[in-house]
Amino acid sequence: MKTTIAIIGSGFSSLSAACYLAKQGFGVEIFEKNSTTGGRARQLIKQGFTFDIGPSWYWMPDIFEKFFNDFGKTVSNYYELDKLSPAYKIFFHDEQITIGDTMDKICDEFERIETGSSKPLRKFIKRAQEHYDIAINKVVLRPGLSPFELVTPETVTRVDQFFKTISSEVRKNFKNPKLISTLEFPVLFLGAKPNKTPSFYSFMNFADFGLGTWHPKGGMYEIIKAMTALATELGVKININSNVEKIIVKDKKAAGIVVNKEEKYFDVVLSGADYHHTETLLDETHRQYSEKYWSKKTFAPSSLLFYIGFDKKLNNIEHHNLFFDTDFEQHAIDIYDTPKWPDNPLFYANFPSVTDKSMAPEDCETGFFLIPIAPGLEDTEALRNQYFDIIINRFETLTKQKVKNNIIFRDAFCVNDFIEQYNSYKGNAYGMANTLLQTAFLRPKLISKKVEHLFFTGQLTVPGPGVPPSLISGKLVSELITKQFKNN
């Protein structure tokens, strides 16, 4: 008899785990509460416009390639990948920085802003590349069960990099505030302030400048389609519109789930849903972490998102655009230190139709705007409208064009939606931050300490937030399950 495994949720980590477990011969079944697979990586198609509702940055292409290689496939079997040139543009109040698709172009841009800055930049990125090699090939491939997993010949010689911060390293080498913001920006993907993130995580800077920014033709949802197709090919059964209401525990072992009020029994339960939410599916005596535990953790931001169809092509924009024309540090304080709606928010705007004509009707533009905000904030229609006005006015000023009268439609997504659609703790968008005290073995565990045969995966556990780490998280938990059940 095959060991049977129920997987809650169908995001990147769940699909990754499902593929690896099916390859090992387990009977795998996914239960997704929404009407499509992908978890937070969903797609909106409206009036001919295509939007990635969730992740929109394709970094670390090597991780995606390794995933498909593990099944005898390549990325190109499923979707077409283009390297963006330029990678992205950053708007400051008085000028713009364009990040090119090679280190030489980026160094030239740094020199334009601050003479002599290319030399420390090359040194900084070389060290970031060393960190990347260690992180991706050693540290993140460990399941976070013990502090000794961080002890390798490579990390021992870099132990100081876990106690210094990204901010201190950047500011030691660069003085221009615009270059500092440019180099501190990538760690926002890790969900923490640069002055709280260990400098070892500068490997994100290598992911940015060294490996570049890519785009799957048709959008990020093409990856979900690919992983869903692979999982199905491997024999995974996928159930949509299937809301898991309870995890069944018998004799301190996970024995199944209640789905749409129906009991279903399995040998193993694996949740890729929000970790906090998953534990609410258990009786209190079976939960590992208290509400007090979660309330003290540093969570990555939530977001206010706008999906907009424009009836014309826009000027002076790239595929990815960052608007840093206000105080970077103050916005971070408004997210992490004294959580509140920011007075002058930074924001991000994504126009995939700049490089991918399939994502908008002819002579139109697909626009996705994002404001990072603290999780758990009040979310009302009035606040959404207020902040849309703030950012669209600044967008018009900085890009020197009028666009308000060219909006065909505008959809918004915020804290309440993250909670309602993804059961997200306080409506967070990216999981738990990778601060020093929330790294590796200090994150919530892949294996339940209270309930046998219950496992977790995703961005609240190891390795952490982001799409590539989620793929790795699925692989890590599949290895733990395989080790325990393969020979039973």
Side-chain angles (χ1 to χ4, degrees), residues 185-301:
F185 139 71
V187 301
L188 295 179
F189 285 102
L190 299 169
K193 291 171 66 177
N195 65 1
K196 298 287 186 183
T197 303
S199 63
F200 182 74
Y201 285 102
S202 68
F203 68 74
M204 292 295 289
N205 293 99
F206 175 71
D208 180 1
F209 289 2
L211 298 176
T213 302
W214 300 73
H215 172 71
K217 189 173 181 183
M220 293 288 283
Y221 197 70
E222 292 302 310
I223 313 164
I224 293 295
K225 287 182 186 175
M227 294 178 73
T228 301
L230 177 60
T232 303
E233 184 184 324
L234 290 163
V236 176
K237 183 179 179 185
I238 299 174
N239 305 277
I240 56 171
N241 298 313
S242 298
N243 185 40
V244 176
E245 294 140 352
K246 190 171 180 62
I247 295 172
I248 301 167
V249 178
K250 292 188 175 179
D251 300 324
K252 296 185 178 179
K253 289 182 181 178
I257 52 179
V258 178
V259 187
N260 296 341
K261 300 184 170 54
E262 181 186 353
E263 291 186 0
K264 291 180 178 287
Y265 289 89
F266 294 86
D267 300 310
V268 176
V269 175
L270 165 61
S271 180
D274 179 275
Y275 205 123
H276 169 270
H277 168 72
T278 302
E279 290 224 309
T280 69
L281 303 178
L282 296 161
D283 292 337
E284 204 162 330
T285 54
H286 295 138
R287 297 173 192 171
Q288 305 170 86
Y289 305 107
S290 67
E291 288 297 320
K292 185 178 179 182
Y293 168 90
W294 294 111
S295 69
K296 287 186 174 180
K297 292 299 169 185
T298 301
F299 273 79

Side-chain angles (χ1 to χ4, degrees), residues 154-173:
E154 296 85 358
T155 57
V156 164
T157 61
R158 289 174 167 79
V159 69
D160 63 314
Q161 298 299 302
F162 288 93
F163 295 96
K164 293 178 182 175
T165 68
I166 288 281
S167 189
S168 65
E169 286 293 291
V170 167
R171 288 158 194 259
K172 181 174 74 178
N173 293 294

